[in-house]
Amino acid sequence: MELTPVTSRLHLLDFTIGQAYLWQDEEELTLVDAGWVGSADAVAEAIRAAGLDPDRLRRIVLTHCHKDHVGAAQELADRHDAEIIAHRLDAPIIRGDAPLPAPDLLDWERPLFEHGMTVPEAPPTRVDREVEDGEDLGFGDGAVVVHTPGHTPGSLAVHLPRHGVLFTGDTVASVPDVMFGVFHADRALALDSMRRLAKLTPSVLCCGHGAPVTTDTAARLAAAAEQAAA
């Protein structure tokens, strides 16, 4: 595993199924999602190989409760004294205190879902800070929580308005181009969330699945939202 630069302060970690992102502030590092259980060593080594210190990791923001995003969070947090952050509505699921909501699968999604089931189960994981829509996350010169229910009840996006960066979790995908995500628990609600994200007009789009989008980003996101609605 290696860190792939997206911008000078933003890096991608690709877990084959699911992705995480590392944001670099002057003194701190932030992970948005945490990849698979058992990958903490590989993540830390990738951070070191990029010339950064994994002990500068201060927070892990979980966009939602699915196992390909939560897996390594607690091991990384325990090792590097980081805080785990999630939306209030997904926090009980992440902790193992509430059941995972079942996705409302379309026929064409079923084979993809079966493939996704090959990701190892995430262990019950602590959440140190439960957040709501509009809260400042304390990094990226003003990163803001955007509650995006639908994929899961407590799905969230992270918006860095000063940098034009938007982390969407799985509400939006970019496989092969910007598109409405898959495996939503509430498809109508997720579509409303995607429309809301499109109004943020990002210049850099970081989805949970697919390559980061850095060209014509706002227009491509808006067009994908319109197409999904149609």
Side-chain angles (χ1 to χ4, degrees):
M1 179 177 293
E2 63 183 25
L3 284 180
T4 302
V6 180
T7 71
S8 61
R9 296 172 63 177
L10 174 63
H11 307 266
L12 167 70
L13 284 160
D14 191 348
F15 291 85
T16 308
I17 297 176
Q19 294 168 178
Y21 294 90
L22 184 76
W23 179 266
Q24 178 184 352
D25 285 315
E26 187 171 346
E27 299 296 334
E28 299 181 345
L29 301 175
T30 298
L31 268 178
V32 178
D33 289 324
W36 295 19
V37 66
S39 63
D41 284 340
V43 170
E45 184 52 41
I47 292 171
R48 289 189 193 96
L52 301 171
D53 181 358
D55 285 336
R56 289 171 54 198
L57 184 63
R58 290 293 169 266
R59 65 192 63 79
I60 301 170
V61 184
L62 300 177
T63 61
H64 63 289
C65 58
H66 287 161
K67 58 189 179 180
D68 53 324
H69 298 260
V70 172
Q74 185 155 320
E75 188 173 3
L76 285 164
D78 287 347
R79 288 186 186 186
H80 305 293
D81 195 26
E83 177 184 43
I84 301 175
I85 301 170
H87 191 275
R88 172 182 58 83
L89 294 177
D90 269 21
I93 305 168
I94 293 166
R95 293 187 180 113
D97 296 332
L100 184 72
D104 178 16
L105 297 174
L106 300 175
D107 287 344
W108 68 268
E109 292 179 315
R110 295 182 186 280
L112 294 175
F113 185 73
E114 292 300 320
H115 180 56
M117 293 296 288
T118 61
V119 175
E121 291 297 329
T125 296
R126 76 172 194 265
V127 175
D128 302 304
R129 178 184 170 193
E130 298 183 16
V131 294
E132 300 276 2
D133 186 68
E135 288 193 37
D136 188 325
L137 288 168
F139 75 97
D141 304 305
V144 179
V145 174
V146 183
H147 184 206
T148 53
H151 186 67
T152 64
S155 284
L156 62 81
V158 179
H159 186 214
L160 279 60
R162 290 189 61 182
H163 299 278
V165 174
L166 180 63
F167 303 92
T168 70
D170 285 358
T171 301
V172 183
S174 52
V175 186
D177 201 351
V178 182
M179 61 174 283
F180 190 37
V182 295
F183 313 156
H184 301 303
D186 186 325
R187 190 174 307 277
L189 204 54
L191 182 56
D192 286 343
S193 293
M194 185 179 184
R195 291 192 191 101
R196 182 183 180 195
L197 293 178
K199 292 177 181 177
L200 299 176
T201 62
S203 54
V204 178
L205 187 69
C206 299
C207 303
H209 299 271
V213 179
T214 59
T215 58
D216 299 324
T217 306
R220 290 162 70 183
L221 178 56
E226 289 182 10
Q227 182 178 5

